[in-house]
Amino acid sequence: MRRVLTYGTFDLLHIGHLNILRRARMYGDHLTVAISTDEFNLNAKSKVCVIPYADRKALVENLKCVDVVIPERDWEQKTRDVIERNIDVFVMGDDWKGKFDFLKQYCEVVYLPRTENISSTDLKHTIRNRGTLVQSVSVAQ
Ligand code: C2G
């Protein structure tokens, strides 16, 4: 069995996330997804998630292309995860290109092109601005 591993926050799950997960799964027979915990996001990535970890986990692990979800609690766990889970291929979007080349001594490392014009950050801004827009339109009437 050829095992694939990828990491992410997967907040406000969108087509860019689904695309990378589906493509990652095609590099093997089993896909493990390490999802950043709320604490890791806050403390290490200065990100505040809209969707809590438990819900992000439930959404991702119920995707057909995902076999198992594990928590990502720190930056250092990748080597341990690759070794302990007998990972053959590590896949990330190319916004991370080169950042995980240190794993090449343990497994294949693949960076895939990101899906354009979509991100959790943009979605948050759109939702926030739309709320303002609706409010201003209703006030104007
Ligand atoms: N992604 C993508 N296209 C997008 C948005 C995201 O291909 N339009 C990919 C990213 O490149 C990443 C994965 O989807 O491989 C998850 O993206 P995020 O949820 O934004 O995760 P990130 O904050 O990059 O955290 O240790 C690694 C980190 O946990 C990655």
Side-chain angles (χ1 to χ4, degrees):
M1 176 179 285
R2 195 162 159 76
R3 295 176 175 274
V4 185
L5 173 65
T6 190
Y7 290 73
T9 304
F10 300 102
D11 194 20
L12 297 174
L13 194 67
H14 56 68
I15 191 64
H17 294 141
L18 181 58
N19 286 341
I20 191 98
L21 293 173
R22 277 192 304 207
R23 287 150 62 205
R25 175 64 175 71
M26 288 160 67
Y27 279 83
D29 317 287
H30 183 281
L31 175 61
T32 298
V33 183
I35 298 184
S36 314
T37 61
D38 297 332
E39 299 74 16
F40 176 58
N41 270 310
L42 197 58
N43 303 332
K45 295 185 189 175
S46 307
K47 273 185 173 181
V48 177
C49 284
V50 175
I51 311 295
Y53 172 77
D55 294 359
R56 288 182 283 121
K57 176 177 185 290
L59 286 163
V60 169
E61 67 188 359
N62 280 281
L63 295 175
K64 278 191 290 187
C65 59
V66 176
D67 295 282
V68 65
V69 168
I70 61 174
E72 179 185 26
R73 301 185 194 284
D74 59 65
W75 292 115
E76 290 69 41
Q77 73 181 73
K78 292 184 178 67
T79 302
R80 191 172 66 245
D81 289 344
V82 167
I83 294 168
E84 288 176 358
R85 296 175 178 274
N86 301 310
I87 298 299
D88 300 289
V89 189
F90 174 91
V91 177
M92 285 301 286
D94 61 4
D95 47 320
W96 291 92
K97 192 166 180 59
K99 297 287 193 310
F100 304 117
D101 288 357
F102 63 88
L103 292 169
K104 286 184 175 177
Q105 59 187 303
Y106 306 109
C107 65
E108 192 182 338
V109 175
V110 175
Y111 301 102
L112 297 174
R114 277 173 67 95
T115 302
E116 303 203 348
N117 307 317
I118 184 98
S119 73
S120 307
T121 306
D122 290 349
L123 286 174
K124 288 178 202 170
H125 291 158
T126 303
I127 293 162
R128 195 176 299 132
N129 297 341
R130 184 163 298 171
T132 312
L133 181 64
V134 166
Q135 198 174 20
S136 58
V137 166
S138 58
V139 166
Q141 283 172 351

